Amino acid sequence: MNIRFTVNGNQIELATSPKKRLLDILRDDLDLIGTKEGCGKGECGACTVLINGSAVNSCLVPALQLANSHIVTIEGLRHWSSFASLERAYVEHGAVQCGFCTTGFVMSTAALLATAAPPLSIDQVKWQLAGNICRCTGYAKIVEAVMDLTQQPELVNQVKLDWQTAFGGK
């Protein structure tokens, strides 16, 4: 099947199997290897990307669902004006250990900041990140980094603006 969709602002037209996973399309066909495969079953969040304004596990999305969708990967997020602040918070709080899960957590953090209304409690942040697993068990530092980000109103507003630009207000 031929499908058209947008990845990181670039129009893509691809001939592929309708069952091919988005994760494989990103990594194998588009060479966007920042999205990681962890469990391959939608349980760990390492493959989290943003599709049409929602954080999703790309290992669970078949190509047949991609027509006309707008996808942002970690490579696209790096071009958002708010990305440097996200990255800095993770580094300053020591929220990066082996780094395998980091891209998934950062994508989920962007979704959280774009859709939630701060101030958020620690329990709300933990709930929003619940679909991501850190095998190094660095959760406390990840939550600290995200809590720090939620307490920066200008940054939260910038993430919301970046989100609107990427997804047209979704």
Side-chain angles (χ1 to χ4, degrees), residues 22-67:
L22 173 57
L23 174 63
D24 298 323
I25 290 171
L26 293 172
R27 292 184 60 83
D28 300 340
D29 298 326
L30 303 179
D31 200 29
L32 296 170
I33 59 173
T35 304
K36 306 296 183 196
E37 179 165 13
C39 67
K41 299 176 182 176
E43 296 175 357
C44 74
C47 66
T48 301
V49 297
L50 307 175
I51 301 178
N52 298 333
S54 297
V56 300
N57 294 317
S58 62
C59 69
L60 298 179
V61 180
L64 65 91
Q65 293 181 350
L66 297 177

Side-chain angles (χ1 to χ4, degrees), residues 73-140:
T73 67
I74 192 70
E75 290 89 349
L77 197 73
R78 290 182 58 85
H79 296 289
W80 288 17
S81 60
S82 55
F83 180 78
S85 297
L86 299 177
E87 182 179 47
R88 185 175 39 253
Y90 269 74
V91 170
E92 287 179 355
H93 287 277
V96 178
Q97 293 190 20
C98 80
F100 193 82
C101 67
T102 304
T103 57
F105 271 102
V106 171
M107 298 305 289
S108 293
T109 299
L112 167 84
L113 296 174
T115 59
L120 298 174
S121 70
I122 288 177
D123 288 340
Q124 288 172 308
V125 168
K126 287 179 179 177
W127 176 257
Q128 292 292 324
L129 299 177
N132 296 84
I133 294 174
C134 173
R135 299 190 196 294
C136 302
T137 67
Y139 297 106

Side-chain angles (χ1 to χ4, degrees), residues 86 109-122 124-125 128 145-161:
L86 299 177
T109 299
L112 167 84
L113 296 174
T115 59
L120 298 174
S121 70
I122 288 177
Q124 288 172 308
V125 168
Q128 292 292 324
V146 177
M147 285 302 296
D148 183 19
L149 292 166
T150 65
Q151 296 167 9
Q152 301 176 45
E154 289 181 21
L155 170 64
V156 171
N157 287 335
Q158 187 57 55
V159 171
K160 291 180 187 299
L161 288 173

